[in-house]
Amino acid sequence: MPAQAPENATPHTTASPAANTAFRSALDVVRQVEPRIADAIGAEVEDQRASLKLIASENYASPAVLLAMGNWFSDKYAEGTVGRRFYAGCRNVDTVEALAAEHARELFGAQHAYVQPHSGIDANLVAFWAVLSQRVESPALARAQARHVNDLTEQDWAQLRQELGNQRMLGMSLDTGGHLTHGFRPNISGKMFEQRSYGTDPATGLIDYDALRATAREFRPLILVAGYSAYPRLVNFRLMREIADEVGATLMVDMAHFAGLVAGKVLTGDFDPVPHAQIVTTTTHKSLRGPRGGMVLCESELAEHVDRGCPMVLGGPLSHVMAAKAVAFAEARRPEFQDYARRVVENASALAEGLLRRGGKLVTGGTDNHLVLADVSGHGLTGRQAEAALLDAGIVTNRNAVPQDPNGAWYTSGVRLGTPALTTRGLGVAEMDEIAGLIDTVLRGTTPVTAASGAPSKAQYTLDEALRDGVAKRSADLLAGFPLYPGIDLA
Ligand code: PLP
């Protein structure tokens, strides 16, 4: 018999007996073909149950979302969009895609939603090409009086290709929290666009909008990208749009990290990107708590360009994942989700305050959103050492560069902590304060190994075993009070 859900279990991850039977039966079926995969699936849920997950980009999807993904839509090709497919027999996919898009539009108040992107990176690629299509390709076609790129002469086509490759993007710098896909060289965006970055004021750690405006005036980008993966404060999207308009740029916001806070109406007014940006991209699996995937929202004028995502840059739609997106968006439209989003932010504040009270150093001195960026250099550690030592004690975080990081992007000087997952699990502000204490204990108990040259290692460290075991035991006890997926018993 599966364990009964305890009283403090959040309804979100609690599985009904029917869901438990469904998961168990599915694993039995898989086990008959490849038992090692069934075992790995079972082991993964146990690992997730056992870890104190502070990865800011992760969450726990509901049984309904997880179950909606394993079905026959996986077998179907559905290139095209609702009602305009390049394949026959797509009426059920149309139902799924239309519903997911309708929920998304309602949830975010968007004019148009494109729910096909397979991930956040794919959503960004769709957005970049949509803007290029609208602002570079369409005018070139009009000039040549052509309807389609295939109608262009060789000369006009060569010129258009040159123009497409000659555009500019302005995005947030990586060390102040931007994402690799916002025009950086290791990503295709950096190879497609000439890029410049804006950053934060070294004194406050906040986005320096005056400096950003000056850079935008001088650089005149085609696309101004806002959004981040490691900035712990709010972004003023009204101001961003004002700057974009002034220099003739399209404002694109990548809300991959904070989409759940927008959906949950914690970020409103100037801090809600949807009314201000022409185009907004997101993942669906981070704070939004859906299946692993991506999405693009946009103004009506961009819709036809966005809808060319597949086959422009995307493979055929994952219709089974679109089904799960529809379920997740329906969940996020419920009032409980607003309560969840509010608690995510409350918990992040409590975690930040707990660390500060114990002498911790935080980038920007705190947080307004779901994440905290702790600067661990005061402990004489790199982010890599802090991340590894915390993991030894059962606390899962990820290292992250801090602004002007002397240790670069690999070793870093920071650790990023986020509350979306633990909040889903039901932990609250009292637990966050205790977790801040556990983190502080580990960081104080970790010492870098000194190399023969006398220089401290950036990777090796020692951590007192008794201290490590004490923290691991306490974090396990803490988690035991907030069971994950109660009702599911795969043993
Ligand atoms: N955009 C931002 C701001 C992100 O933080 C991430 C992932 O961490 C992505 C895009 C990429 O998302 P995905 O891993 O789903 O491609």
Side-chain angles (χ1 to χ4, degrees), residues 119-122 124 179 181-182 228-229 254 256-257 283 285-286 293:
S119 75
I121 289 187
D122 292 14
N124 285 349
H179 192 258
T181 55
H182 300 174
Y228 54 80
S229 42
D254 177 350
H257 256 264
T283 55
H285 49 272
K286 303 189 205 274

Side-chain angles (χ1 to χ4, degrees), residues 114-318:
Y114 182 63
V115 296
Q116 291 188 16
H118 311 328
S119 75
I121 289 187
D122 292 14
N124 285 349
L125 262 182
V126 170
F128 299 151
W129 280 103
V131 177
L132 288 169
S133 166
Q134 182 199 40
R135 298 199 46 201
V136 180
E137 187 171 300
S138 291
L141 290 176
R143 278 196 306 275
Q145 296 182 336
R147 287 192 55 228
H148 193 273
V149 281
N150 288 343
D151 302 331
L152 292 175
T153 62
E154 286 303 319
Q155 197 187 357
D156 285 344
W157 176 232
Q159 193 183 331
L160 173 56
R161 287 182 59 226
Q162 209 165 33
E163 267 185 72
L164 287 168
N166 205 15
Q167 301 301 323
R168 293 175 169 178
M169 170 178 289
L170 178 59
M172 193 166 186
S173 68
L174 275 182
D175 71 333
T176 59
H179 192 258
L180 213 57
T181 55
H182 300 174
F184 295 94
R185 291 181 188 181
N187 178 257
I188 183 85
S189 56
K191 303 178 207 299
M192 282 162 59
F193 290 95
E194 182 187 347
Q195 199 261 17
R196 280 271 179 96
S197 298
Y198 59 87
T200 53
D201 179 340
T204 60
L206 303 178
I207 292 176
D208 185 340
Y209 293 100
D210 291 336
L212 160 54
R213 192 187 294 269
T215 307
R217 279 182 183 157
E218 193 230 312
F219 187 55
R220 303 197 79 79
L222 179 80
I223 305 179
L224 170 60
V225 185
Y228 54 80
S229 42
Y231 180 66
R233 296 292 179 178
L234 305 182
V235 179
N236 187 327
F237 299 113
R238 184 191 48 75
L239 201 50
M240 285 281 196
R241 176 62 183 266
E242 194 184 289
I243 295 168
D245 283 350
E246 187 189 325
V247 300
T250 298
L251 176 62
M252 169 183 153
V253 177
D254 177 350
M255 64 169 181
H257 256 264
F258 52 91
L261 306 187
V262 178
K265 313 289 182 246
V266 169
L267 300 182
T268 57
D270 292 353
F271 310 113
D272 175 354
V274 180
H276 301 293
Q278 285 102 331
I279 189 158
V280 177
T281 59
T282 186
T283 55
T284 49
H285 49 272
K286 303 189 205 274
S287 56
L288 194 48
R289 215 160 63 169
R292 185 157 294 280
M295 175 167 68
V296 181
L297 306 172
C298 65
E299 292 180 342
S300 308
E301 296 88 82
L302 262 163
E304 62 171 299
H305 305 280
V306 165
D307 282 353
R308 290 189 196 134
C310 167
M312 177 73 191
V313 290
L314 296 178
L318 308 177

